[in-house]
Amino acid sequence: MKTLFDETCIGTLQLRNRLVRSATWEAMADDAGRPTPRLVRVYRDLAYGGTGLIISSATTFSGDATRVPGMLAIPDDSYIQAYHELVQTVHREGAPIVMQLVFPGRNGVFWTPSDPSRDEIHSIARGFRDAAFRAQRAGFDGVEIHAAHGYFLSQFLNDKRNTRTDEYGGIVRNRIRFLLEITSEIQARTGETFPILVKINCSDFEEDDGVWEACQSACSKLAEQGIRAIEVSGGISHMPFPPQGLPYEESVFRDYAAEIARITDVPVILVGLNRTPSVLTGLLNTAGIGYFSLSRPFLRQPDLARYWRKNPDRPAECLSCDACREQPDGNVCPFRKSLVGEK
């Protein structure tokens, strides 16, 4: 029987358990997007707390990128050393770390698929490539492409939001083209052994959005390209979560993730209200889902992995109240307790 605390590998990533910290905006980068000592401490606590794999918060890669306050960035080589120090801190505590890369838009505007020209699309793909290479040089163990939650790249999958009439819009093959080109660019620059993960929406949960069909096709093609893992999410950031109509109170995208696991041969990571070890263990052994990522529970319990190892019958303490987003000093849980043995 598989357990949440099996030691496994995702490509070259060696994981001490199946619990993943999903990308979480911390609002703690400096004004230029570099990690601060306070932010490094957040990642150290996650690693020290036993997390199997850490995915960084969304990181932009162009100097004119649209960013929210405290958002990470890696627009040029001068940022590499700051990230190298963050990575070393995480590695000393025994966890691998992956940088999530995102393109929201430029000059304060959140882009839609209709905004860029073909040349700009190609330039963005090269931007992902160059940022991934910087992450590799900084010591990150891989990168994750953010193609979920209704942001720019995610919208290409949506048949209603993607109104392009060229080779990047219309039929499913065209709507997934940009994502596949990005991964190909990264592979060409970083090499075949450097892990690339993709976070993708199973659905935007809009009527007839076509996202599920595009998701299945994209995941199949990504697996053929050699992607190392697929993180299955859903919904749009500014809409209520979880989306209406799902039959579960926990692990809400489980059926979609199970289907992606069935049609591909790469590890699937499920995100979305993962709260109870027994539920996750059941999915691990019956649905083909290999890993489980969490966001808000790690804000309250950065040592959640250690806690669940000792208390397998206890759910996460997170109440999903979103008080973390209302704090004046960053995205932090007001109910967080200090780690036992915290350094």
Side-chain angles (χ1 to χ4, degrees):
M1 177 178 173
K2 298 177 183 178
T3 77
L4 296 178
F5 294 95
D6 295 333
E7 294 184 4
T8 64
C9 293
I10 296 178
T12 57
L13 299 173
Q14 297 183 6
L15 279 64
R16 55 193 170 187
N17 56 59
R18 299 178 183 272
L19 301 174
V20 179
R21 187 270 201 165
S22 192
T24 304
W25 171 65
E26 304 96 357
M28 294 181 193
D30 68 18
D31 291 342
R34 289 184 173 87
T36 59
R38 184 166 175 244
L39 182 56
V40 172
R41 178 61 177 266
V42 168
Y43 288 104
R44 191 216 68 88
D45 286 353
L46 287 165
Y48 177 70
T51 309
L53 170 65
I54 297 171
I55 301 175
S56 82
S57 53
T59 307
T60 62
F61 50 78
S62 60
D64 58 357
T66 298
R67 294 171 51 231
V68 296
M71 188 176 184
L72 288 170
I74 188 165
D76 59 55
D77 289 357
S78 70
Y79 284 64
I80 291 174
Q81 182 57 37
Y83 284 105
H84 180 66
E85 294 172 3
L86 182 154
V87 169
Q88 284 186 315
T89 298
V90 169
H91 284 171
R92 280 195 294 268
E93 301 296 348
I97 182 169
V98 165
M99 175 180 278
Q100 187 187 82
L101 297 173
V102 65
F103 180 87
R106 289 188 175 135
N107 299 317
V109 178
F110 288 92
W111 279 20
T112 68
S114 63
D115 286 316
S117 65
R118 285 190 183 90
D119 287 345
E120 286 174 317
I121 283 179
H122 299 155
S123 175
I124 292 166
R126 293 192 296 270
F128 273 99
R129 175 199 67 193
D130 295 343
F133 186 51
R134 291 185 197 111
Q136 185 181 41
R137 290 164 62 195
F140 280 88
D141 302 289
V143 293
E144 180 180 70
I145 302 168
H146 189 0
H149 303 163
Y151 295 110
F152 174 69
L153 188 54
S154 173
Q155 291 180 45
F156 276 81
L157 306 180
N158 188 309
D159 193 34
K160 289 185 174 180
R161 295 177 180 269
N162 183 351
T163 59
R164 298 184 71 96
T165 58
D166 59 8
E167 67 270 29
Y168 294 100
I171 60 176
V172 168
R173 181 175 68 249
N174 289 350
R175 301 205 308 272
I176 69 173
R177 186 186 306 275
F178 189 21
L179 178 57
L180 299 179
E181 288 179 351
I182 289 169
T183 56
S184 293
E185 287 279 0
I186 294 174
Q187 287 173 321
R189 188 65 182 272
T190 61
E192 295 182 359
T193 61
F194 186 65
I196 303 172
L197 291 69
V198 172
K199 185 172 190 174
I200 192 168
N201 259 19
C202 60
S203 176
D204 290 354
F205 295 96
E206 299 177 322
E207 186 176 359
D208 299 324
D209 61 27
V211 173
W212 176 228
E213 183 182 7
C215 172
Q216 293 174 84
S217 179
C219 290
S220 296
K221 295 295 184 182
L222 289 167
E224 293 174 5
Q225 282 189 351
I227 294 303
R228 297 303 180 185
I230 298 167
E231 186 179 15
V232 177
S233 190
I236 297 176
S237 61
H238 63 270
M239 292 184 177
F241 188 86
Q244 294 183 351
L246 291 168
Y248 309 105
E249 294 183 358
E250 296 188 21
S251 305
V252 294
F253 305 123
R254 66 179 76 176
D255 292 342
Y256 296 96
E259 180 62 15
I260 297 302
R262 188 188 69 81
I263 66 174
T264 68
D265 59 357
V266 300
V268 169
I269 306 169
L270 172 64
V271 70
L273 291 179
N274 293 322
R275 295 293 187 267
T276 305
S278 60
V279 173
L280 306 185
T281 302
L283 293 172
L284 176 62
N285 284 282
T286 62
I289 301 166
Y291 300 88
F292 303 93
S293 57
L294 306 92
S295 175
R296 289 174 293 178
F298 278 124
L299 293 178
R300 181 159 182 168
Q301 295 172 275
D303 60 345
L304 184 62
R306 288 187 180 187
Y307 178 81
W308 273 353
R309 184 182 284 274
K310 296 178 180 178
N311 302 276
D313 299 325
R314 300 287 297 275
E317 293 179 3
C318 177
L319 302 176
S320 303
C321 67
D322 275 345
C324 47
R325 290 183 172 268
E326 300 173 358
Q327 304 308 303
D329 57 345
N331 189 19
V332 295
C333 178
F335 309 109
R336 179 189 183 276
K337 299 176 182 177
S338 297
L339 297 184
V340 175
E342 191 167 23
K343 299 176 183 176

